[in-house]
Amino acid sequence: MSITTASQTIGPYWHLLPFEGWNDLTRFGATGDVITITGRITDGTGAAAGDCCVEIWQPRPEVENFDGFGRAATDKDGGFSFTTLRPEPVPGVHGRLGNVQQAPHVGLTIMARGLMKALQTRIYFEGDAGHDQDPVLNLIEDPARRATLVAKKTGAAAYHLDIVLQGAGETVFFAI
Amino acid sequence: MSDLRAFRPLVPGTQPEYDADVYGSTKFRAPKQQLLQVPTSLTEATGPQFSPSRYPSIIDISKVESGEAQGQRIVVEGQVTDEDGRPVPHTMIEIWQANSTGRYHHDGDQHDAPLDPHFQGAGRVFTDENGMYRYISIKPGAYPWRNHHNAWRPNHIHYSLFGPGFATRLITQMYFDGDPLLKYDPIYMCIADAGSRERLVAGFDLDLTMPEWALGYRFNIVLRGRNATPFEDSNDHGDH
Ligand SMILES: [Fe+3]
């Protein structure tokens, strides 16, 4: 068996990669229930993490011209934003967790200077049904920590999540 | 139909830790809480798929329309496989790097070395059906950074790969054989396993080298392999 290639930090100069417009997941012409997701990333001192590469992935909805992928850079204030289609519930997980459908969510990857490996987590959406039964949210016992994955509803189709890399209020990050 | 099998856990020691004292920027960014072990579902087992029609290839970054970049031209070739040695076909690889003087074409890079008007420093290639990729560039220069006194990054090219699933996302760096700076570089050295470090070093390859044109380097990449079981619930193991 071969061993997976080691991860290295994305560093401070990853912006050389193309990403302009990639934070709009409808950029190839997908239509549907459009939502915006904004976020803000801070570090263990409370300072804005202004050089992060943030990516989202959502396998649902399955509609034409929607590849479920977006990339954004955090700005000086640590902020990022995505325009996407409202995610749909996805099939559950077999085994002890039961095959319960998962509440709508997007997968989130954060890469940055100072992160030797990508951080992965999910964004759920305030007001959606199914959070109480969701097999991943239910792995987190502390309600305060569970809440770090749920974006606040800030408008009819707008959501916002504060992400804390380290320390008080630290976001729950995943080993997948 | 998507492949829904879970990815195998990574071999301990073969990946860097988040918290690395020698690399100062990790101090306030590395999470302190243990990561939550999450079972694989559709969201983790699948991932974005890219096609050259929407993400056009940029194979030769050793020149722009107005002229050729300064420096040693190189051709880099390699294979992307999974842990079982199976090729990862049609996957997107993004690369970016400093120019031959060790300066990035980036506003944040204030290193006192000349920019090259003929070098932008970012490319994008796709593996073929056998997992093979190839691009043309110039050898990047070493550059100073402020991690510690007299800190210099070894020559390196940054890599970004997606692979078949959300769980296979990989950011890494390719280094060059024989670079004297490697053993002083915290980013390279903070991988505990020596073999895993050495696999980040591209080997010079005379067969890839193109007469009177470019030096050849080979750099293979391994992405995570899959388990046998679909939608595996990792919490089912070991406790009953
Ligand atoms: Fe670099």
Side-chain angles (χ1 to χ4, degrees), chain B residues 57-128:
Chain B
S57 300
I58 311 162
I59 293 169
D60 184 351
I61 66 169
S62 73
K63 60 182 185 200
V64 292
E65 229 166 81
S66 56
E68 305 255 340
Q70 299 282 341
Q72 172 62 61
R73 203 182 283 117
I74 59 173
V75 48
V76 182
E77 186 181 293
Q79 188 180 31
V80 183
T81 60
D82 68 14
E83 291 168 326
D84 301 302
R86 282 185 287 257
V88 180
H90 312 300
T91 199
M92 184 169 82
I93 303 174
E94 298 169 288
I95 56 148
W96 70 104
Q97 62 169 87
N99 70 17
S100 62
T101 70
R103 176 89 183 261
Y104 283 89
H105 187 82
H106 187 288
D107 290 343
D109 187 355
Q110 298 301 311
H111 175 33
D112 179 23
L115 281 166
D116 182 341
H118 300 140
F119 191 73
Q120 299 292 314
R124 180 193 294 142
V125 291
F126 288 81
T127 59
D128 67 13

Side-chain angles (χ1 to χ4, degrees), chain B residues 104 143 153 156 158:
Chain B
Y104 283 89
Y143 59 85
R153 292 298 330 276
H156 63 276
H158 294 267

